[in-house]
Amino acid sequence: DYVDRGNHSVECIQLLLLHKLRFPERICVLRGNHETRQITQVYGFYDECFRKYQQRDVWFKFCKVFDFLPLTALVDSQIFCLHGGLSPSIDQLDQITQLDRFQEAPHQGPMCDL
């Protein structure tokens, strides 16, 4: 979770994304459960964006970026990284690549589990 963790969530996610742009091979930014529209509206990121920019569009654009963040990563073909946990619906790593991650995370199912 990069947002909803205090009064500087906007600056935190901006810095992480800038580092990802500057060091694309050295930084991996995974999607957590707080990088969703529903959760950010409940836990404060939406309010923080509106307070700092006085427009909903900034929050919406961050959410679109969150939709593109990977759900998992495999580091050096040895270390499996994910935010949530293993999904009982997934038996092989190849099944993860078949998930449509470019959307709001559903309330249940493999995308939600990861």
Side-chain angles (χ1 to χ4, degrees):
D1 301 330
Y2 309 113
V3 299
D4 298 325
R5 297 291 181 232
N7 296 325
H8 302 289
S9 293
V10 169
E11 293 83 2
C12 179
I13 191 64
Q14 286 173 334
L15 183 61
L16 284 169
L17 293 173
L18 287 171
H19 281 348
K20 177 63 177 168
L21 289 171
R22 176 67 178 93
F23 307 105
E25 300 301 318
R26 299 182 73 189
I27 301 284
C28 182
V29 181
L30 299 179
R31 186 177 185 180
N33 66 311
H34 278 257
E35 286 70 52
T36 64
R37 287 158 191 79
Q38 181 180 8
I39 298 294
T40 57
Q41 285 180 315
V42 172
Y43 289 96
F45 186 64
Y46 173 85
D47 294 332
E48 181 182 341
C49 288
F50 194 82
R51 196 171 47 254
K52 291 179 178 179
Y53 298 100
Q54 289 80 45
Q55 54 182 316
R56 180 180 183 265
D57 195 49
V58 172
W59 167 79
F60 183 74
K61 287 186 189 311
F62 273 117
C63 289
K64 292 302 285 179
V65 170
F66 297 158
D67 289 347
F68 281 83
L69 294 178
L71 301 172
T72 64
L74 189 59
V75 179
D76 294 332
S77 299
Q78 295 180 343
I79 303 167
F80 182 56
C81 305
L82 64 161
H83 176 77
L86 300 175
S87 174
S89 304
I90 295 178
D91 298 319
Q92 299 178 9
L93 291 179
D94 290 345
Q95 291 175 282
I96 295 170
T97 61
Q98 297 170 6
L99 296 173
D100 178 16
R101 74 172 200 260
F102 304 105
Q103 61 176 326
E104 176 70 359
H107 296 288
Q108 60 184 4
M111 185 174 168
C112 180
D113 297 337
L114 298 172

